[in-house]
Amino acid sequence: MSLQEFIDSHAAEYASLRQDFHQHPELGLEEVRTSAIVAGLLESWGYTVTRGMAKTGVVGTLRVGNSDKTLGLRGPKGWVGGGGRGPARPPGAGG
């Protein structure tokens, strides 16, 4: 199965996760629920998970074979809020 086929076959699951995260916004460094979901998914996919990086960050490590090559991916989780400096909208609220 190609990577594109894999992504396509899981598109509904990923869309559901995105909708769930947007329905339950969390402020930056308070993403307890989101971090727990992401960590659980990574563990279920075979990653070793380190939690609590910079408070609520999650790092997933997947080792394959004996290679020392690495690939790092990062995704934002939290909503910083407006802090009185213009419109403040949680993720997915439009605008």
Side-chain angles (χ1 to χ4, degrees):
M1 174 183 293
S2 73
L3 177 59
Q4 188 61 55
E5 290 169 335
F6 179 85
I7 292 169
D8 290 345
S9 71
H10 291 85
E13 176 187 357
Y14 300 145
S16 177
L17 281 168
R18 182 179 183 277
Q19 290 169 350
D20 179 74
F21 292 150
H22 284 271
Q23 290 171 351
H24 300 91
E26 296 175 284
L27 292 174
L29 300 178
E30 295 179 15
E31 309 95 335
V32 175
R33 181 180 180 276
T34 302
S35 292
I37 292 170
V38 170
L41 286 169
L42 289 170
E43 288 172 337
S44 75
W45 296 333
Y47 287 75
T48 300
V49 174
T50 303
R51 301 168 194 249
M53 304 299 293
K55 190 172 179 182
T56 59
V58 174
V59 174
T61 303
L62 181 63
R63 293 203 95 40
V64 178
N66 296 321
S67 176
D68 61 352
K69 294 181 181 179
T70 60
L71 171 66
L73 303 173
R74 179 189 174 278
K77 294 185 316 249
W79 171 51
V80 176
R85 291 164 287 176
R89 295 185 188 100

